[in-house]
């Protein structure tokens, strides 16, 4: 999800739950019914004193919502009504106190129990509730709290990364604390932990499988190297620590650690200084730190940053920044060790923290990414053309997007006219959007031309794909926020560049649109959201500010009051993501033929509560698309993998025998099977899957 902060965007993670602690029923509340061609849509509006800075829907049922607009507000009925939350010792927001913060709270952190969560303040104060917001307690009063890290299975257990609140020096150290009672009492684990945008401490897989619940990992400075609190700590003093008894003892450690990241898919990554100070090394563990393998990349440049992008398909996608800041190379790992990476896409566009890379939700092997369109051996400048690429084989190959049939290339365009879409680095337009509950549907904002960076805001439009990004149609001539409702049977749009009195919705996936009037006022919208943890719901929410008064407004849109019928068997069709329109056959990709049951585009109906996509899968033999290029090979054209002699590949000999070799050994011909293969396929390939 995305929101606009007056001309910029930031991702919102939305989830929520609350109870009955309605302090002061805040805002001006209005409810109206709008007549439309589909009957009536019930619109319930709530008004707040200033712009809404974030909205958080609590799992598992989204019935509880937290909303920040100066003060913190809560809803216990999925957004119909809101109440102001009174936090002990809370500062006054700037609207009522010129010296106060703009907003009191900047984030809500959930635990495994829906009634227990934390509220982190914009001034780094921290509160917690154990009864879904009926009562709150301020904790760590004398600390500046930077990160809250709840335990994955124990709701009361938590780690905090903090600084002393009375410390004003730039030498202030971050400390790691542990609590088993949500912050009532706290144990100091480390007086000097590595600071970072992401917390440099994690529970890892604690409490899952054979991993003890006392399991922790963090990057800190050993006591013998800490010195006094005012001394400078060099980066080569930091050490990776692993303990399985809450740091009573150290199970393992690695020196010269400069970063740590755990992914719920079971991968733990650490970055270490290499022999040369400017370069980093990435190491990966699949057994929660018991063993690590050093990641091998075919590029020998110094590594400045790693972005771990996706692990959902049995392989790891990583963008490596070589100090160029506006691009990095995209690599994909093998499925055997997760540590041998081959080139997937060169010159993948990126920002300081985000990368233009997108996994199409719910459909195996489908990705979108942006990259500079330059030759293989020339580093791009920020002004070089940028194009959008699509992969349907787990990053094994990429192709540009054909312009929609209704769209002509601009008269100023030269050869190479394609559809190009804005990704995660965009600070002005909405990014790619898909949902695991609306399989095949993808929305994005972009333009047709030789480059995404080509001038001309008038050319930016909104597009929809019904086949997971293969082909696209234009659905609107401007740019919008968007959301899928009821597993894609309904799409709701709200303007994101202009003030508007209406939102738009479609029951036929963009063929026709209906304008829905809210209350007659013009609003600058920040987001449109769907209200469901399962995708089956007939409600959406939209929020923004009044163009004239600048007050924040939250609107709940209830489409259950329309006369739209419930779908029947005749309203559904089966869709194969790899259907070959040239031959009329379903292609076999990733070791299987897949058909999904989905609603027909023209059928204006809601799913019933028992609706399922009903995946139908049959195994099949390998085809060319099931192979990607092996380590030190790259795809030059078509499906042909060519030997690379760049970087370490100049001295790499793929024909040498492996260590401790006995008898015969396989020699790669430049190809390896992609990681995402079903059980049927794996029975039909050698255990060393990098053999052609």
């Amino acid at each position: 999800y995305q929101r606009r902060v007056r001309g910029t965007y930031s991702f919102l993670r939305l989830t929520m739950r609350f109870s009955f602690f309605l302090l002061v029923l805040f805002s001006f509340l209005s409810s109206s019914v709008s007549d439309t061609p589909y009957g009536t849509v019930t619109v319930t509006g709530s008004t707040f004193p200033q712009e809404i800075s974030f909205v958080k829907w609590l799992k598992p049922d989204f019935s509880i919502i937290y909303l920040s607009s100066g003060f913190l507000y809560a809803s216990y009925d999925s957004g119909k009504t809101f109440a102001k939350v009174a936090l002990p010792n809370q500062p006054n927001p700037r609207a009522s106190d010129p010296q106060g913060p703009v907003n009191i709270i900047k984030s809500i952190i959930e635990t495994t129990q829906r009634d227990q969560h934390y509220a982190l303040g914009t001034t780094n104060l921290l509160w917690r509730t154990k009864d879904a917001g009926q009562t709150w307690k301020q904790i760590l009063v004398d600390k500046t709290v930077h990160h809250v890290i709840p335990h994955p299975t124990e709701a009361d257990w938590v780690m905090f990364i903090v600084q002393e609140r009375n410390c004003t020096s730039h030498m202030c150290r971050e400390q790691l604390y542990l609590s088993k009672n949500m912050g009532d009492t706290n144990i100091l684990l480390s007086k000097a932990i590595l600071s970072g945008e992401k917390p440099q401490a994690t529970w890892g897989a604690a409490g899952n499988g054979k991993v003890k619940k006392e399991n922790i990992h963090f990057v800190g400075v050993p006591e013998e190297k800490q010195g006094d609190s005012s001394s400078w700590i060099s980066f080569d003093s930091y050490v990776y620590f692993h303990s399985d008894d809450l740091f009573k003892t150290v199970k393992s450690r690695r020196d010269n650690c400069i970063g740590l990241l755990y992914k719920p898919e079971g991968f733990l990554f650490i970055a270490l200084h290499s022999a040369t100070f400017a370069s980093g090394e990435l190491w990966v563990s699949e057994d929660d730190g018991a063993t690590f393998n050093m990641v091998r990349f075919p590029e020998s440049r110094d590594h400045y940053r790693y972005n771990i992008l996706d692990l959902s398909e049995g392989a790891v996608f990583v963008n490596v920044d070589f100090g160029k800041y506006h691009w990095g190379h995209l690599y994909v790992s093998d499925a055997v060790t997760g540590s041998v990476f081959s080139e997937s896409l060169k010159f993948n566009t990126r920002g300081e923290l985000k990368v233009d890379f997108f996994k199409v939700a719910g459909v195996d092997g489908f990705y979108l990414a942006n990259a500079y369109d330059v030759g293989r051996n020339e580093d791009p400048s920020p002004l070089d053309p940028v194009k959008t690429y699509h992969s349907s084989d787990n990053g094994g190959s990429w192709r540009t997007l054909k312009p929609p049939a209704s769209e002509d290339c601009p008269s100023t365009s030269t050869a190479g006219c394609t559809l190009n879409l804005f990704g995660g680095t965009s600070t002005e337009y909405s990014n790619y959007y898909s949902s695991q509950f609306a399989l095949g549907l993808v929305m994005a904002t972009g333009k047709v031309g030789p480059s995404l960076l080509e001038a001309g805001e008038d050319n930016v439009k909104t597009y929809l794909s019904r086949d997971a990004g293969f082909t696209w149609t234009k659905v609107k001539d401007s740019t919008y926020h968007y959301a899928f409702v009821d597993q894609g049977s309904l799409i709701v749009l709200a303007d994101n560049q202009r003030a508007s009195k209406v939102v738009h919705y479609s029951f036929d996936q963009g063929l026709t649109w209906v304008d829905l009037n809210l209350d007659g006022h013009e609003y600058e919208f920040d987001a449109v959201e769907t209200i469901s943890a399962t995708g089956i719901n007939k409600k959406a929410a939209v929020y923004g500010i009044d163009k004239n008064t600048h007050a924040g407004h939250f609107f709940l849109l209830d489409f259950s009051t329309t006369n739209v019928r419930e779908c029947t068997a005749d309203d559904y069709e089966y869709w194969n993501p790899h259907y070959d329109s040239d031959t009329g056959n379903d292609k076999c990709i990733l070791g299987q033929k897949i058909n999904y049951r989905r609603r027909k585009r023209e059928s204006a109906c809601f799913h019933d509560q028992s609706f399922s996509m009903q995946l139908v899968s049959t195994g099949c033999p390998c085809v060319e698309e099931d192979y990607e290029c092996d380590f030190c090979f790259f795809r030059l054209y078509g499906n042909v993998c060519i030997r690379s002699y760049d970087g370490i590949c100049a001295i790499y000999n793929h024909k040498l025998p492996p260590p401790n070799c006995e008898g015969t050994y396989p020699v790669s011909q430049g190809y390896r099977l992609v990681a995402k293969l079903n059980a049927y396929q794996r029975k039909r390939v050698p255990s060393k899957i990098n053999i052609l």
Side-chain angles (χ1 to χ4, degrees), residues 158-431:
V158 61
M159 287 189 289
F160 304 107
I161 297 178
V162 304
Q163 286 179 325
E164 296 296 330
R165 183 161 286 275
N166 59 5
C167 182
T168 58
S169 167
H170 69 282
M171 304 285 283
C172 295
R173 298 178 178 180
E174 294 193 0
Q175 304 164 343
L176 180 65
Y177 279 86
L178 163 73
S179 175
K180 290 186 177 181
N181 50 23
M182 293 192 74
D184 287 340
T185 57
N186 301 283
I187 303 169
L188 178 65
L189 295 183
S190 175
K191 294 180 180 179
I193 187 171
L194 182 65
S195 61
E197 187 76 22
K198 295 185 177 181
Q200 294 303 295
T202 176
W203 296 99
N208 292 295
K210 296 181 179 180
V211 181
K212 295 180 180 179
K213 66 180 182 181
E214 295 85 2
N215 186 74
I216 56 174
H217 310 263
F218 69 90
V219 182
V221 180
E223 282 195 39
E224 64 270 17
K225 291 187 178 182
Q226 289 179 6
D228 61 58
S229 60
S230 62
S231 59
W232 173 257
I233 298 176
S234 63
F235 275 108
D236 58 1
S237 298
Y238 286 96
V239 172
Y240 159 74
F241 292 103
H242 177 207
S243 172
D244 62 1
D245 57 7
L246 300 181
F247 207 46
K248 293 175 184 175
T249 61
V250 175
K251 188 174 183 179
S252 64
R253 58 178 280 173
R254 286 178 179 261
D255 294 338
N256 300 317
C257 187
I258 54 177
L260 171 150
L261 179 69
Y262 176 75
K263 288 290 190 177
E265 293 85 353
F267 287 83
L268 177 68
F269 298 90
I270 59 174
L272 305 178
H273 281 306
S274 66
T276 58
F277 184 80
S279 182
E281 295 174 350
L282 187 65
W283 292 69
V284 59
S285 172
E286 295 184 79
D287 51 17
D288 204 74
T291 60
F292 281 91
N293 290 315
M294 188 177 80
V295 169
R296 288 196 297 160
F297 293 107
E299 184 74 53
S300 61
R301 306 189 200 204
D302 284 343
H303 298 169
Y304 283 78
R305 276 180 298 188
Y306 304 100
N307 282 67
I308 313 300
L309 301 172
D310 185 68
L311 301 93
S312 63
E313 303 290 338
V316 183
F317 282 91
V318 176
N319 178 290
V320 180
D321 175 14
F322 305 108
K324 304 300 180 181
Y325 303 105
H326 59 285
W327 62 265
H329 289 342
L330 180 65
Y331 297 100
V332 61
S333 75
D334 65 327
V336 177
T337 66
S339 62
V340 180
F341 282 73
S342 61
E343 178 187 305
S344 180
L345 184 66
K346 294 198 76 170
F347 307 124
N348 182 202
T349 53
R350 60 169 298 142
E352 184 176 355
L353 298 175
K354 296 180 180 179
V355 177
D356 287 325
F357 175 89
F358 179 75
K359 169 73 175 76
V360 179
V363 184
D364 290 346
F366 280 66
Y367 295 88
L368 290 161
N370 290 351
Y372 284 99
D373 183 27
V374 296
R376 278 190 56 82
N377 298 317
E378 52 179 300
D379 288 356
S381 76
L383 300 179
D384 280 324
V386 171
K387 291 184 178 294
T388 297
Y389 295 83
H390 178 264
S391 175
S392 60
D393 57 4
N394 222 52
S397 61
W398 298 84
R399 65 173 187 86
T400 55
L401 304 180
K402 293 182 180 179
S406 62
E407 293 286 275
D408 295 325
C409 291
S411 57
T412 57
S413 294
T414 57
C417 182
T418 58
L419 174 62
N420 304 303
L421 307 170
F422 290 100
T425 62
S426 172
T427 59
E428 191 172 1
Y429 301 107
S430 295
N431 310 149

Side-chain angles (χ1 to χ4, degrees), residues 45-57:
S46 298
T47 306
F48 299 90
Q50 61 191 57
E51 181 180 5
I52 297 170
S53 63
F54 78 82
V55 176
K56 175 95 173 167
W57 314 75

Side-chain angles (χ1 to χ4, degrees), residues 18-144:
F18 227 106
S19 168
F20 241 23
F21 160 53
L22 298 181
L23 280 176
V24 181
L25 185 59
F26 162 65
S27 60
F28 170 73
L29 196 64
S30 65
S31 185
S32 63
V33 174
S34 294
D35 292 324
T36 75
Y38 294 99
T40 58
V41 178
T42 302
V43 179
T44 304
S46 298
T47 306
F48 299 90
Q50 61 191 57
E51 181 180 5
I52 297 170
S53 63
F54 78 82
V55 176
K56 175 95 173 167
W57 314 75
L58 289 192
K59 297 174 182 175
D61 56 6
F62 281 26
S63 62
I64 294 180
I65 306 174
Y66 284 107
L67 177 152
S68 177
S69 174
F71 292 100
L72 183 66
Y73 299 87
S75 171
Y76 304 91
D77 51 15
S78 297
K80 291 182 181 179
T81 59
F82 284 88
K84 185 188 293 185
V85 176
L87 299 170
N89 304 314
Q90 66 180 8
N92 282 320
R94 192 166 297 172
S96 56
D97 178 2
Q99 303 301 316
V102 176
N103 293 284
I104 295 175
I105 300 300
K106 63 181 177 181
S107 65
I108 300 292
I109 301 100
E110 297 176 82
T111 70
T112 56
Q113 294 293 324
R114 70 180 189 176
D115 290 350
Q116 299 180 199
H117 35 271
Y118 302 87
L120 182 59
T122 53
T123 56
N124 298 97
L125 298 173
L126 184 65
W127 294 265
R128 65 107 172 99
T129 178
K130 295 185 177 182
D131 52 15
Q134 296 184 48
T135 57
W136 290 86
K137 178 181 179 180
Q138 186 179 2
I139 55 177
L140 296 166
V141 178
D142 59 340
K143 310 295 183 186
T144 297

Side-chain angles (χ1 to χ4, degrees), residues 301-583:
R301 306 189 200 204
D302 284 343
H303 298 169
Y304 283 78
R305 276 180 298 188
Y306 304 100
N307 282 67
I308 313 300
L309 301 172
D310 185 68
L311 301 93
S312 63
E313 303 290 338
V316 183
F317 282 91
V318 176
N319 178 290
V320 180
D321 175 14
F322 305 108
K324 304 300 180 181
Y325 303 105
H326 59 285
W327 62 265
H329 289 342
L330 180 65
Y331 297 100
V332 61
S333 75
D334 65 327
V336 177
T337 66
S339 62
V340 180
F341 282 73
S342 61
E343 178 187 305
S344 180
L345 184 66
K346 294 198 76 170
F347 307 124
N348 182 202
T349 53
R350 60 169 298 142
E352 184 176 355
L353 298 175
K354 296 180 180 179
V355 177
D356 287 325
F357 175 89
F358 179 75
K359 169 73 175 76
V360 179
V363 184
D364 290 346
F366 280 66
Y367 295 88
L368 290 161
N370 290 351
Y372 284 99
D373 183 27
V374 296
R376 278 190 56 82
N377 298 317
E378 52 179 300
D379 288 356
S381 76
L383 300 179
D384 280 324
V386 171
K387 291 184 178 294
T388 297
Y389 295 83
H390 178 264
S391 175
S392 60
D393 57 4
N394 222 52
S397 61
W398 298 84
R399 65 173 187 86
T400 55
L401 304 180
K402 293 182 180 179
S406 62
E407 293 286 275
D408 295 325
C409 291
S411 57
T412 57
S413 294
T414 57
C417 182
T418 58
L419 174 62
N420 304 303
L421 307 170
F422 290 100
T425 62
S426 172
T427 59
E428 191 172 1
Y429 301 107
S430 295
N431 310 149
Y432 316 118
Y433 167 68
S434 66
S435 168
Q436 62 175 318
F437 303 114
L439 295 188
L441 297 184
V442 189
M443 294 200 75
T445 302
K447 60 177 73 172
V448 170
S451 172
L452 183 64
L453 305 181
E454 198 173 48
E457 290 187 6
D458 293 341
N459 296 329
V460 180
K461 301 172 183 178
T462 301
Y463 298 91
L464 171 74
S465 173
R466 298 187 68 249
D467 53 14
F470 264 123
T471 60
W472 296 78
T473 57
K474 183 195 74 176
V475 293
K476 279 289 186 178
D477 280 326
S478 186
T479 66
Y480 295 85
H481 302 290
Y482 22 71
F484 301 137
V485 181
D486 191 50
Q487 297 198 9
S489 62
L490 173 67
I491 301 176
V492 180
L493 304 183
D495 284 84
N496 74 347
Q497 293 293 310
R498 305 164 303 178
S500 176
K501 297 179 180 180
V502 301
V503 295
H504 316 274
Y505 69 90
S506 173
F507 276 105
D508 52 21
Q509 295 174 4
L511 292 176
T512 60
W513 294 94
V514 178
D515 291 347
L516 175 64
N517 185 52
L518 297 177
D519 62 4
H521 293 260
E522 283 193 307
Y523 294 98
E524 296 176 7
F525 295 111
D526 289 323
V528 56
E529 319 286 3
T530 183
I531 307 175
S532 174
T534 62
I536 300 179
N537 198 313
K538 300 178 179 65
K539 297 178 182 179
V542 61
Y543 59 91
I545 63 169
D546 187 299
K547 179 184 177 181
N548 296 314
T549 67
H550 302 291
H553 286 260
F554 179 97
F555 292 97
L556 180 66
L557 314 178
D558 187 353
F559 292 88
S560 65
T561 54
T562 63
N563 55 22
V564 176
R565 62 182 176 85
E566 196 170 89
C567 297
T568 65
D570 293 337
D571 294 308
Y572 294 98
E573 63 183 3
Y574 280 93
W575 166 65
N576 185 312
H578 300 283
Y579 175 76
D580 190 333
S581 58
D582 294 331
T583 64

